[in-house]
């Protein structure tokens, strides 16, 4: 029977050779000889490009393929899931072939279709980090800079289309608030999957569609592997000239209910790591200080070129969800730094009648400070309500000293200045369908005590110095209490919303100051009344502000508001037994318009008028010495400023074209009732206020543009601003009109020549010119260019060469153009990076520059860090 | 129809028959919510996500170890009149004896509901609507030993309940073509077949000798990297292939109602044809006027099933 069949087979083969070929047989287990089901047997051409036919073996392991083609020979290929592939070249004739099947674990080449580098989902723009990141990036901040539309300033502040962002989330949680530099500098790029950008982001969900925002927010989306796992890095480095250290440790965790980020950093290599602890949202913090040791002006260079520091910073942050709605945030930061600086300067003051006054100074100074801040915050943010209660404490202890050699006269200065403040913030918003209610309260207390000692006092005409008391001591104490409380309600009917808010502010400050003659053993003589202040200043405001909002869906919204500020100011001068009381009304009307012209194109316009009255430091009769050669008082009427401003901007973000840009223009005009004039008596300057209406105005036009080319992994950015302002200045009791113009242009390119060679280039150009009293001052042009070239070998070894060029037209001679050269080698293994950094290879020892402000020219030289080398090892915990 | 522009089933009239809770498929709820965002009408009452169908994912059995995971970007037209397209991500988990086909977006949604139900998940700040919508609201298990396909469907209102039917591996009469294309470095060959009312074109690669995987496709000697029907109402395109680490192919335990494929199709069809027939009507609020309007009880939903017969 079997033979018959075989005969039939052979016969059939011969008869149909040209028409039809049948390949059949069995697939058997090589060991057990049992039939194997599900094996693919394929007939392909000899080159194995095209499949002519195939069969999948049945339960018994049988297969059969019919071929109707013309080819003489064929490839039979046997494949299957977890089956070792085999192929045989056969003659194209009907035949029976059995295969012995062997097994092997199937391995495939993993592939992922790269997601688009940037995509838009209504008001959210999603950047896929993998499209931007490469092996040269250390932290997510390095990657953010390459995303079109996003820019990161040197300070670490993140902007979208030229406007600073208003929130920075990690996985939707706001742990760091304005100190998001801690996140951008310490979260590794490889842990982030996507960066989401929310345009026109209103962080308080209950105020959505009620209060507009022109700011964007950023949310980092972690890779699954980085979620819910502890992660961190440890870094240690040492270098020479001078002997340097550089250490960092970070540990972080990002879970669904709990996040924490903790960082310790220290170095004396010129890296001001305290900068990442500054809040970009501003507002709160120690009040600025009036007194100071004379410091040389810092050069307009990368900080690591000149900063001499010994810094330690610690930051610990955590956020946890207490229940569905409530989250608790704890932040604590501490910084200690000791900085020294050395420089020379020449200041030229243009005085009326074409006179010049020149001051030469050689300055050596040091700054030592300890700063700490701690805050505790409870927050709920839902569509129905918002609750925030935040308590924070801030302390800063400054201990500065300096020596100035001015025209061969030497002055020593010592400043001690402790400042502490505490703040409570409370906010509650409740939203119903048509109604909403908000209650806000912001209260802070600030205490500051400053003592500046000058040895010796140069100007004996100011205070009665004698041989026994040749020095001076300036003290200043201030206690400042502020509280701002408001209640507001809004009612929405169809497209209209009506809002009314009442705000009650209290602002109370006591300030005492005294400028005394001091002996070498720090004994002081009581100061005369002219050198003393003891002022109690109080201001109470009741601000009623009605606002009407019209909104047409997501397309358009307009706001008009008319805040009326009823206020009472009282100022008591206990030294001069003066009392000043003033009750007044100030108006602060505004109109704003937000429109979405296209999904990619948004317009914002705003016009506002604003009146403000001066505070304590706008009027004090006793002299205060704020610097060894600056002494001033401000005797005047209450200062009053009225300012009108208009601004309009267009913001464009097309993810399809990967093109982002913005244009903005603004105009302002201000009227002041006081003129602050500076008079010079030798090197000593006095600031006095004179009652004299004066006007200033200005406008600026700016724009940004950035474009991503995915094919060449490149981002190109351009930006420019032109500012024109006119104002009036008082010099030697003569009023002079001053007009200044400034043009700023910037360009940056991040591109690659090949996979192994990358270039990062930035260029900035600043041109400023001014005219005073019809006299044109010499214009100053500055150019700064930075280029780094990375050679990447096997994704493991990175060789970096960097150069910087600075040009300043105001400097004569060789220092007009300055060049710096750096180089570095990084070797990356899975968890450890080895970095060798060489800075300032050409050993440029000082920086010279010139600048122009108001009607002064200022030239200075600053001592730079020498050529140095640093070796760093960085471990990644995961 | 104009009514298509009206959106959500608003008032579930109080005295309704509770057994007729299975109004529509979850994908349709998504679709309707999407429509609402586009239409000038807004609901007085919007369907909360938790009211849609979902199954629990806290209790599961691992059927097999996932050796290979294949992800496809799926573009699916739910409404042929309005040409409304969903973006979904579908996943094929491949083990030695079991394969599972499911929507990742739908999986994530079920997971969210489960976490919500178990009070493990809470609302996050400012997270926008995803560009993805789950269009594939079912999972298909492929038992390679018994050569059976087991489909698990979810329907609106069927909280924690699965509709299951089983069928033999279907027969595809594939016609090979000599056309080849390279997808992500894999050389793919074209094959075409008619199946249950649609003509399908697939591109498969003999370099990865895996049969099946995607949806109910079967009988090819290589993995399908791209598949679409002639109308391109259903379009699957390779997103990634990987060897996942220590991943199980899970069957989530829920109340399961077993039926035949025919019975299930009948039920699904009935629901789409006249979803609101037991009710007096459906109220929707016109956003322009602020007034309620009624949809007729015989309103039917757009229905574009992947299997037409």
């Amino acid at each position: 029977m079997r033979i018959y069949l075989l005969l039939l087979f052979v016969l059939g083969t011969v008869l149909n050779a040209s028409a039809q070929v049948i390949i059949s047989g069995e697939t058997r287990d090589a060991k057990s000889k049992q039939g194997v089901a599900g094996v693919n047997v394929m007939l392909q051409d000899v080159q194995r490009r095209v499949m002519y036919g195939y069969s999948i073996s049945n339960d018994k392991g049988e297969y059969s393929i019919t071929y109707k083609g013309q080819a003489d020979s064929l490839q039979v290929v046997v494949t299957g899931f977890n089956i070792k592939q085999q192929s045989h070249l056969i003659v194209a004739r009907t035949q029976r072939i059995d295969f012995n099947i062997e097994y092997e674990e199937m391995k495939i080449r993993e592939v992922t279709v790269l997601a688009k580098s940037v995509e838009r989902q209504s008001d959210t723009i999603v950047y896929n980090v993998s499209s931007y990141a490469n092996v040269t990036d250390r932290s997510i901040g390095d990657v953010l800079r390459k995303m079109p539309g996003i820019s990161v300033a040197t300070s670490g502040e993140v902007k979208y289309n030229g406007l600073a962002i208003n929130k920075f989330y990690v996985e939707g949680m706001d742990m760091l608030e304005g100190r998001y530099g801690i996140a951008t500098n310490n979260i590794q790029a490889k842990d982030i999957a996507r960066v989401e950008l929310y345009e026109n982001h209103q962080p308080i969900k209950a105020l959505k569609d009620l209060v507009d925002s022109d700011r964007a927010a950023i949310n980092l989306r972690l890779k699954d592997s980085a979620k819910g796992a502890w992660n961190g890095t440890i870094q240690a480095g040492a270098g020479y000239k001078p002997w340097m250290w550089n250490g960092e440790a970070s540990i972080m965790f990002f879970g669904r209910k709990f996040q924490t980020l903790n960082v310790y950093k220290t170095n004396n290599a010129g890296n001001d790591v305290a900068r990442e602890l500054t809040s970009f949202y501003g507002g709160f913090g120690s009040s600025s200080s009036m007194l100071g040791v004379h410091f040389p002006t810092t050069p307009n260079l990368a900080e690591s070129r000149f900063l001499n520091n010994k810094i330690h910073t610690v930051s610990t942050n955590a956020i946890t969800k207490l229940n569905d709605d409530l989250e608790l945030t704890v932040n604590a930061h501490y910084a200690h730094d000791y900085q020294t600086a050395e420089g020379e300067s020449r200041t030229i003051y243009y005085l009326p009648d074409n006179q010049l006054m020149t001051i030469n100074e050689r300055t050596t100074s040091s700054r030592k400070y300890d700063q700490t801040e701690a805050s505790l915050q409870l927050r709920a943010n839902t569509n129905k309500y918002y609750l925030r209660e935040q308590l924070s404490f801030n302390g800063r202890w400054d201990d500065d000293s300096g020596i100035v050699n001015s025209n061969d006269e030497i002055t020593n200065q010592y400043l001690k200045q402790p400042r502490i403040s505490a703040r409570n913030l409370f906010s509650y918003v409740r939203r119903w369908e048509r109604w909403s209610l908000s209650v806000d309260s912001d209260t802070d207390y600030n205490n500051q005590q400053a003592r500046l000692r000058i040895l010796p006092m140069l100007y004996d005409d100011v205070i009665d110095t004698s041989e026994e008391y040749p020095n001076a001591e300036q003290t200043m104490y201030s206690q400042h209490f502020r509280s701002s409380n408001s209640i507001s309600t809004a009612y929405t009917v169809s497209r209209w919303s009506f809002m009314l808010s009442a705000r009650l502010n209290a602002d109370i400050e006591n300030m005492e100051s005294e400028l005394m003659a001091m002996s070498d053993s720090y004994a002081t003589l009581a100061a005369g009344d002219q050198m003393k202040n003891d002022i109690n200043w109080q201001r109470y405001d009741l601000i009623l502000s009605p606002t009407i909002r019209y909104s047409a869906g997501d397309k358009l919204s307009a706001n008009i508001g008319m805040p009326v500020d009823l206020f009472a100011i009282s100022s008591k001068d206990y030294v001069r037994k003066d009392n000043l009381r003033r009750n007044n009304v100030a108006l602060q009307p505004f109109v704003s318009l937000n429109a979405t012209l296209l999904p990619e194109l948004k317009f914002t316009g705003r016009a506002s008028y604003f009146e403000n009255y001066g505070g304590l430091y706008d009027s004090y009769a006793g002299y205060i010495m704020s610097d060894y050669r600056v002494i001033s008082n401000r005797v005047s009427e209450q200062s009053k400023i009225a300012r009108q401003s208009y601004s309009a901007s267009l913001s464009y973000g097309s993810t399809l074209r990967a093109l982002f840009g913005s244009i903005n223009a603004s105009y302002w005009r201000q009227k002041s009732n006081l003129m602050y004039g500076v008079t010079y008596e030798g090197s000593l300057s006095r600031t006095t206020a004179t009652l004299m209406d004066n006007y200033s105005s200005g406008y600026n036009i700016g724009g940004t543009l950035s474009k991503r080319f995915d094919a060449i992994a490149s981002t190109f950015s351009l930006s420019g601003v032109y500012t024109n302002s006119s104002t009036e200045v008082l010099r030697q009791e003569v009023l002079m009109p001053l007009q200044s113009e400034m043009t700023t242009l910037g360009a940056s390119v991040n591109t690659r020549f090949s996979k192994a060679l990358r270039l990062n280039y930035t260029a900035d150009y600043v041109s400023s010119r001014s005219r005073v009293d019809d006299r044109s001052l010499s214009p100053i042009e500055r150019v700064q260019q930075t280029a780094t070239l990375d050679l990447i070998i096997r994704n493991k070894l990175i060789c970096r060469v960097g150069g910087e060029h600075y040009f300043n037209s105001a400097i004569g001679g060789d220092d007009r153009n300055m060049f710096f050269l750096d180089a570095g080698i990084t070797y990356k293994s899975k968890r450890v990076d080895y970095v060798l950094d060489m800075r300032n290879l050409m050993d440029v020892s000082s920086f010279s520059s010139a600048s122009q402000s108001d009607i002064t020219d200022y030239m200075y030289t600053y001592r730079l860090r020498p050529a140095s080398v640093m070796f760093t090892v960085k471990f990644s915990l995961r | 129809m104009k009514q298509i522009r009206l959106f959500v089933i608003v008032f579930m009239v109080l005295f309704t028959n509770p057994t007729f809770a299975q109004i529509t498929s979850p994908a349709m709820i998504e679709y309707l919510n999407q429509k609402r965002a586009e239409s000038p009408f807004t609901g007085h009452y919007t369907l909360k996500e938790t009211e849609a169908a979902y199954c629990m994912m806290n209790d599961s059995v691992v059927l097999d170890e996932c050796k290979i995971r294949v992800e496809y970007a799926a573009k699916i037209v739910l409404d042929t009149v309005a040409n409304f397209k969903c973006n979904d991500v579908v996943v094929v988990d491949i083990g030695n004896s079991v394969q599972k086909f499911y929507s990742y977006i739908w999986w994530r949604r079920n997971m969210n509901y489960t976490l919500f139900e178990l009070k493990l998940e809470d609302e996050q700040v400012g997270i926008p609507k995803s560009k993805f919508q789950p269009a594939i609201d079912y999972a298909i298990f492929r038992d390679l030993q018994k050569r059976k396909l087991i489909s698990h469907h979810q329907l609106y209102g069927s909280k924690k309940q699965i509709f299951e039917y089983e069928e033999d591996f279907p027969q595809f009469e594939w016609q090979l073509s000599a056309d080849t294309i390279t997808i992500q470095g894999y050389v793919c060959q074209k094959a075409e077949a008619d199946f249950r009312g649609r003509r399908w074109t697939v591109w498969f690669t003999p370099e990865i000798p895996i049969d099946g995987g995607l949806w109910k496709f079967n009988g090819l000697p290589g993995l399908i990297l791209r598949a679409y029907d002639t109308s391109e109402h259903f379009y699957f395109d390779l997103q990634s292939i990987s060897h996942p680490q220590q991943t199980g192919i899970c069957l989530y335990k829920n109340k399961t109602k077993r039926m035949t494929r025919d019975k299930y199709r009948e039920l699904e069809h009935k629901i789409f044809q006249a979803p609101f027939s037991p009710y007096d009507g459906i109220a929707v609020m016109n956003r322009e006027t602020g007034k309620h309007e009624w949809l007729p009880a015989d309103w039917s939903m757009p229905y574009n099933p992947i299997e037409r017969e």
Side-chain angles (χ1 to χ4, degrees), chain B residues 193-212:
Chain B
D194 290 309
F195 184 69
R196 293 180 181 166
R198 288 182 192 272
R199 181 160 185 83
W200 290 91
T201 304
V202 304
W203 296 86
F204 69 98
T205 176
E207 291 175 50
I208 306 174
I210 295 172
D211 183 14

Side-chain angles (χ1 to χ4, degrees), chain A residues 552-607:
Chain A
D554 300 335
K555 296 267 184 247
L556 180 110
S557 70
N559 287 279
I560 180 160
M562 174 57 88
V564 180
D565 185 353
L566 309 159
F567 65 90
I569 292 176
S570 100
S571 177
K572 288 180 196 143
D573 186 334
Y574 293 107
V575 177
R576 276 154 286 272
K577 314 271 187 293
D578 261 1
N579 255 346
L580 182 135
R581 275 178 178 284
R582 181 179 297 270
N583 300 324
N584 220 328
V585 181
L587 298 177
Q588 296 158 2
F590 69 89
V591 186
S592 76
L593 180 73
N594 290 300
T596 302
L597 307 172
L598 294 167
E600 305 88 26
L601 190 64
K602 295 190 164 81
F603 171 83
T604 306
R606 190 179 164 91

Side-chain angles (χ1 to χ4, degrees), chain A residues 271 362 364 509 546 721:
Chain A
N271 184 4
R362 191 183 309 139
T364 312
E509 184 167 2
V721 182

Side-chain angles (χ1 to χ4, degrees), chain A residues 395-414:
Chain A
R396 184 176 165 121
W397 295 267
D398 284 281
D399 193 350
D400 300 350
S401 64
I403 301 169
V404 174
N405 182 337
S406 177
N407 304 335
D408 284 336
E409 285 181 293
I410 291 173
T411 311
N412 288 291
Q413 312 140 74
Y414 303 96

